[in-house]
Amino acid sequence: MQKRQETRQALRRLALAALALGLPLTLNAPAFAEAKPFKIGFILPMTGQSASTGRQEEAAIKLYMAQNGSTVAGRKIEVIVKDDGGVADQTRRIAQELVVNDKVDVLAGFGLTPLALATAPIATQSKTPMVVTAAATSIITEQSPYIVRTSFTLPQVSIGIAEWAAKNKIRKVVTLVTDYGPGIDAEKFFKSQFQLNGGQIVAEIRSPLRSPDFAPFLQKVRDAQPDALFVFLPSGQGAAFMKQFAERGLDKAGIKLIATGDVLDDDQLNDMGDVALGVVNSHHYSAAHPSALNKKFVTDFQAANKFRPNFMAVAAYDGMRVIYKALEATKGQGGGEALLGAMKGQIFESPRGQVLIDAQTRDIVQDVYIRKVERKDGQLWNVEFDVQKSVKDPGKAK
Ligand code: DHB
C-alpha cells in the first residue's frame, strides 16, 4: 500500500516536471514501463550429424555478447537457442513457436540448406528478419525478402579453387560433392570455371548427406586417374573423408586433393594429420587469417572454449553484429521492416576481412582466399597465399 502511494506521488512529481518542461505526457505510457527485451531466436543443430555447427555458433554468440554487452539502445538482448537436430520439420515447428509464442524480433541460425528453406515462408508471413549464419546454397536469399545472410555461398568459394587448379597444371578433375543444394552449386560453379580455363571434368560423383561411406566413391576416383579430385562436403564430414582418402592410398597414387574450405574445416583440421598437409583449398575464413582483429577473435574464442573457431563461428559472430547494429540504428524500436532496412548495406571489418551486406541481394560480399594447409608450431592451419577481393555471389541471376 505504502509503496503504491509512493509510486503515485513519484509519478505526480514527474508529471508536473514534464508539464513544466512542456513535454508530452501520458501517465500509463511506455515512458514509465521497462523496455521489452529484444529477442533473437537462434535455431541450430546442437545434436546430430551437424552438431559441430551448433557448438561453434553458440560459442561465437556468447563471445560476441561478452565483448559487446547485452543491452543495445536500452533494450536487453535475449538470445534463445533451440536445437533442431538438423531436421527440417523440427526447424519449421521451432520457428513457428519462436514467432508465435516467444514473439522473437529476429530468427537466426540454420545449419543446413533444407532448414533455411523450411523457415523462409515463416519469415515472410510474419515479417520477421531471418539472419542465415550457416546454410550456403545460393538460392536461399531469394526465398524470402526477409532473409539476410552472413555466411557465404558455394558458388562464391568454388570459383577461386577452379582458377587456381587450371593455372597450376591440373588438367583432368573428378568432382565429389554432397548430393544436395550446396554440393550441386559447388559442382556446377567449379566445373564451369575450370572448363572456361581449359580444364576437363572426367567424372562427377555425388555422396549422400546422411552418414556417407566414401570408400566406393574413392575407388571410382582411383579408377578414373584424374590429376586432381575436387571435393565439397558440409562442415563436420571432412575428417572422416580425409581418413578414407589416406586409407585408400589416393594421396600416394598421385591424385591431388583440392577442395572448398568446408572440407579442411578449422573445427577438425588439427586432427586430420599429415594427409591434409599441402592441400590447397578456397574459402572466406581461416582461423590463421593474419589480421589484428582475427588474432583477437581467435585468442578470445580459444580462451573461452577448448576448440578453435571455424567459418560457422565467424558467421554467427558477424550475424550478431548485424543484428546489434540494426537495433541500434532503429534506436531500440526494432520492427521487421526497419531492422531489415538497417541490415542492408552494412559494411564492416569481420575477423575474416572486410564484408558488405549487399543491399539488393541481402547476401554477403567478401574476400575469398586461396589457402594451403601447413604445420606451424605443431598445429595445422589453412595459410592464405592468394585472395580474390570483394566476391559477390556468382550464383545470383544477373
Ligand atoms: C551447408 C552446410 C555446411 O555445413 C557447409 O559447410 C556448407 C553448406 C548447407 O547446408 O548449406
Side-chain angles (χ1 to χ4, degrees):
M1 249 337 240
Q2 173 81 22
K3 212 161 178 193
R4 199 179 287 169
Q5 238 169 26
E6 279 171 17
T7 311
R8 256 199 223 120
Q9 279 167 5
L11 284 175
R12 256 177 72 89
R13 277 198 300 276
L14 261 174
L16 289 171
L19 277 176
L21 289 168
L23 298 174
L25 185 82
T26 1
L27 264 188
N28 52 359
F32 299 114
E34 273 271 304
K36 272 194 307 176
F38 183 87
K39 295 185 185 175
I40 309 170
F42 262 92
I43 314 178
L44 292 167
M46 304 304 298
T47 53
Q49 199 175 276
S50 302
S52 65
T53 297
R55 172 170 50 80
Q56 284 276 350
E57 297 220 357
E58 189 178 39
I61 296 161
K62 286 189 176 148
L63 177 62
Y64 188 88
M65 294 182 79
Q67 290 175 341
N68 295 279
S70 53
T71 305
V72 176
R75 301 280 298 273
K76 183 108 189 105
I77 305 294
E78 195 179 308
V79 172
I80 306 170
V81 176
K82 295 273 185 189
D83 174 21
D84 63 9
V87 179
D89 285 344
Q90 296 291 336
T91 320
R92 190 183 295 111
R93 180 184 58 73
I94 294 166
Q96 227 133 26
E97 281 173 11
L98 285 171
V99 166
V100 175
N101 301 342
D102 297 290
K103 304 198 166 35
V104 294
D105 297 280
V106 176
L107 288 165
F110 313 102
L112 293 163
T113 288
L115 318 180
L117 297 181
T119 309
I122 297 169
T124 305
Q125 281 154 24
S126 64
K127 301 190 187 327
T128 309
M130 171 173 161
V131 180
V132 174
T133 58
T137 302
S138 176
I139 55 151
I140 289 173
T141 42
E142 291 160 337
Q143 307 309 301
S144 167
Y146 289 87
I147 294 178
V148 165
R149 173 156 45 196
T150 61
S151 50
F152 68 110
T153 79
L154 264 304
Q156 195 174 43
V157 300
S158 299
I159 280 186
I161 189 68
E163 279 182 1
W164 180 87
K167 281 188 202 144
N168 285 273
K169 300 197 175 73
I170 293 171
R171 296 284 167 264
K172 291 184 180 179
V173 166
V174 173
T175 59
L176 168 59
V177 302
T178 304
D179 192 6
Y180 78 127
I184 293 160
D185 269 359
E187 179 190 273
K188 181 174 161 195
F189 283 83
F190 177 87
K191 180 181 177 177
S192 60
Q193 196 66 23
F194 188 55
Q195 288 177 336
L196 196 71
N197 286 276
Q200 189 191 347
I201 303 291
V202 292
E204 292 170 75
I205 304 171
R206 294 180 184 176
S207 58
L209 176 59
R210 303 281 163 206
S211 314
D213 171 15
F214 300 108
F217 304 125
L218 289 171
Q219 191 53 48
K220 274 194 196 167
V221 176
R222 255 197 108 119
D223 296 344
Q225 295 193 310
D227 299 324
L229 169 64
F230 166 73
V231 184
F232 161 79
L233 303 169
S235 187
Q237 294 194 4
F241 169 79
M242 294 300 283
K243 190 162 174 279
Q244 291 193 24
F245 186 83
E247 278 169 6
R248 298 262 133 193
L250 267 81
D251 52 339
K252 309 263 163 20
I255 299 172
K256 227 177 159 56
L257 182 64
I258 52 177
T260 66
D262 309 72
V263 181
L264 288 311
D265 183 348
D266 270 303
D267 190 69
Q268 299 184 322
L269 182 62
N270 235 342
D271 303 323
M272 290 182 189
D274 287 358
V275 63
L277 278 176
V279 175
V280 176
N281 64 97
S282 57
H283 229 208
H284 54 292
Y285 179 67
S286 165
H289 180 62
S291 70
L293 186 69
N294 185 53
K295 280 183 183 147
K296 176 168 167 47
F297 173 68
V298 174
T299 305
D300 291 355
F301 190 98
Q302 288 196 297
N305 303 285
K306 289 194 180 68
F307 48 94
R308 193 190 275 186
N310 72 354
F311 58 100
M312 295 299 187
V314 100
Y317 187 79
D318 290 346
M320 288 296 287
R321 191 271 182 204
V322 166
I323 298 167
Y324 267 46
K325 293 293 171 192
L327 180 57
E328 227 171 77
T330 68
K331 302 196 164 52
Q333 294 284 308
E337 298 292 345
L339 287 170
L340 197 75
M343 289 177 182
K344 292 179 190 174
Q346 280 194 31
I347 183 163
F348 57 97
E349 191 193 352
S350 152
R352 64 187 109 173
Q354 198 70 21
V355 299
L356 157 75
I357 303 298
D358 186 315
Q360 265 76 51
T361 62
R362 292 162 278 102
D363 222 334
I364 190 159
V365 179
Q366 58 192 332
D367 296 348
V368 174
Y369 307 89
I370 314 295
R371 312 97 54 88
K372 187 187 224 171
V373 178
E374 289 177 16
R375 184 173 275 124
K376 284 193 171 168
D377 302 327
Q379 291 196 42
L380 297 184
W381 300 96
N382 284 299
V383 178
E384 298 164 354
F385 64 89
D386 203 356
V387 61
Q388 298 178 296
K389 297 297 281 181
S390 304
V391 182
K392 270 190 158 195
D393 173 31
K396 297 280 179 292
K398 298 256 158 47

